[in-house]
């Protein structure tokens, strides 16, 4: 799920938002924003309020984003991991783009049905003496109930878009989204239960050892507020816990023979 090519990520991001890519050469990306993305990224609420008040269409700004370190002195905005602009884009994705609807791009001349898949990317976090995160991407066919693991990797071989191609139409789901999600959640719960959990036992043992050491240090003063505070910190650090959270997801419409 990590971004491996920042220029490619930004190009895909703005293209998906229907912004025109003016140029993209050697790590210098020039983008013509549309009104929606100007409103989202450029922090000009008074401008847009005024433009709408006088009945004009407005003039969205252009962005020049530089990801090539050798070009950072070029006129434009140097963007890198940790830069404010990238954080702004990532926060925008987290807040407003957690769920999406995409269609397989098709070049057909006759009516072609597209089948609905519920796709969810989960993060399973194992917390205790040691911490580990596991990303699982899973898809559910909302007509026949078929499930596929490693769904994002499977989808990477298709061209996906936010609008449906000519001559294509979507099949209505038989399985409702809520019911489908519960199926995915049940599969992951079973997966977690089947894992080997000696790590949790060792973490619980370490917790008890640390608590006993703490009590010995305070001896008879076990009502000490500081001791209680330190014990709470030990619980947070060593108490074994497994959590499952949604990273993102959506409905993806694919041709029947796609997967």
């Amino acid at each position: 799920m990590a971004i491996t090519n920042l220029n490619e990520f930004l190009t895909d991001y703005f293209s998906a938002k229907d912004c025109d890519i003016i140029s993209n050469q050697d790590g210098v990306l020039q983008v013509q924003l549309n009104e929606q993305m100007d409103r989202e990224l450029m922090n000009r609420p008074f401008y847009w309020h005024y433009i709408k008040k006088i009945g004009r269409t407005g003039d969205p700004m252009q962005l020049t984003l530089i990801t090539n370190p050798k070009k950072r002195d070029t006129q434009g905005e140097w963007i890198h991991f940790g830069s404010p602009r990238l954080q702004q884009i990532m926060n925008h994705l987290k807040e407003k783009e957690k769920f999406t609807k995409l269609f397989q791009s098709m070049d057909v001349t006759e009516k072609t049905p597209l089948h609905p898949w519920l796709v969810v990317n989960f993060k399973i976090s194992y917390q205790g003496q040691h911490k580990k995160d596991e990303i699982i991407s899973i898809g559910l066919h909302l007509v026949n109930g078929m499930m596929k693991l490693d769904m994002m990797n499977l989808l990477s071989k298709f061209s996906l878009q936010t609008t449906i191609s000519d001559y294509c139409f979507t099949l209505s789901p038989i399985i409702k989204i809520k019911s489908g999600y519960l199926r995915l959640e049940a599969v992951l719960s079973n997966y977690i239960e089947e894992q080997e959990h000696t790590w949790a036992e060792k973490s619980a043992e370490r917790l008890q050892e640390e608590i006993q050491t703490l009590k010995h240090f305070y001896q008879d003063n076990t009502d000490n507020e500081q001791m209680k505070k330190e014990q709470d910190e030990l619980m947070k650090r060593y108490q074994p816990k497994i959590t499952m959270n949604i990273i993102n997801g959506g409905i993806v419409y694919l041709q029947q023979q796609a997967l």
Side-chain angles (χ1 to χ4, degrees):
M1 302 300 296
I3 300 172
T4 56
N5 186 314
L6 190 52
N7 179 271
E8 183 178 325
F9 165 76
L10 292 169
T11 303
D12 290 344
Y13 172 77
F14 286 109
S15 295
K17 294 298 181 181
D18 296 322
C19 296
D20 292 331
I21 305 300
I22 300 172
S23 65
N24 184 15
Q25 295 182 345
D26 198 19
V28 180
L29 175 66
Q30 190 174 11
V31 182
Q32 173 60 62
L33 300 177
N34 53 30
E35 179 180 335
Q36 178 187 351
M37 293 309 296
D38 188 295
R39 287 173 176 269
E40 295 286 354
L41 300 179
M42 304 313 293
N43 193 27
R44 301 197 295 165
F46 296 111
Y47 169 80
W48 287 108
H49 176 75
Y50 172 74
I51 286 297
K52 295 304 177 183
K53 187 175 182 179
I54 63 176
R56 294 180 56 188
T57 57
D59 186 18
M61 298 179 70
Q62 292 183 4
L63 271 179
T64 299
L65 303 174
I66 303 164
T67 58
N68 184 349
K70 297 179 180 180
K71 298 284 187 176
R72 62 183 302 175
D73 293 330
T74 305
Q75 187 175 1
E77 190 172 334
W78 168 237
I79 186 167
H80 56 90
F81 294 104
S83 65
R85 179 68 72 190
L86 183 60
Q87 291 300 313
Q88 181 192 34
I89 291 172
M90 296 304 295
N91 289 336
H92 176 259
L93 284 169
K94 290 178 182 178
E95 292 171 6
K96 299 188 177 181
E97 306 296 333
K98 197 168 185 177
F99 300 95
T100 188
K101 180 189 292 185
L102 295 172
F103 304 86
Q104 182 179 352
S105 177
M106 303 290 295
D107 185 12
V108 293
T109 56
E110 57 184 21
K111 289 186 177 180
T112 303
L114 297 181
H115 295 239
W117 286 82
L118 173 63
V119 180
V120 183
N121 297 312
F122 293 93
K123 181 173 78 170
I124 302 174
S125 297
Y126 303 85
Q127 298 171 279
Q129 183 177 355
H130 303 289
K131 295 182 179 180
K132 183 182 78 169
D133 291 331
E134 184 177 12
I135 306 298
I136 296 182
S137 179
I138 186 168
L140 171 70
H141 195 298
L142 292 177
V143 175
N144 60 27
M146 178 190 300
M147 284 192 188
K148 292 281 187 179
L149 290 173
D150 199 20
M151 192 67 178
M152 290 302 293
N153 187 47
L154 295 175
L155 291 176
S156 66
K157 63 183 180 180
F158 302 114
S159 175
L160 301 175
Q161 57 191 34
T162 56
T163 57
I164 191 167
S165 298
D166 292 340
Y167 297 104
C168 292
F169 64 95
T170 60
L171 295 181
S172 298
I174 293 176
I175 303 170
K176 295 187 180 299
I177 292 178
K178 182 177 180 180
S179 175
Y181 172 76
L182 292 176
R183 292 192 191 192
L184 299 183
E185 198 175 54
V187 167
L188 289 188
S189 295
N190 290 335
Y191 167 76
I192 292 171
E193 290 177 6
E194 292 172 357
Q195 300 301 302
E196 192 271 329
H197 293 302
T198 55
W199 66 272
E201 297 169 3
K202 291 180 179 179
S203 189
E205 291 173 2
R206 176 68 182 275
L207 173 62
Q208 291 306 312
E209 291 172 1
E210 294 289 338
I211 289 177
Q212 290 304 317
T213 301
L214 183 66
K215 288 182 177 179
H216 178 73
F217 178 79
Y218 283 95
Q219 296 182 350
D220 296 331
N221 193 14
T222 54
D223 289 333
N224 186 290
E225 287 297 325
Q226 181 61 29
M227 194 206 88
K228 292 180 179 178
K229 182 179 179 181
E230 292 183 28
Q231 184 168 323
D232 288 342
E233 290 298 322
L234 290 173
M235 293 289 289
K236 292 178 183 177
R237 185 185 307 172
Y238 294 112
Q239 183 70 42
K241 180 173 64 174
I242 301 175
T243 58
M244 182 170 66
N245 295 298
I246 296 176
I247 299 173
N248 51 33
I251 304 297
V252 181
Y253 289 89
L254 302 173
Q255 191 177 20
Q256 183 176 8
Q257 300 86 357
L259 297 178

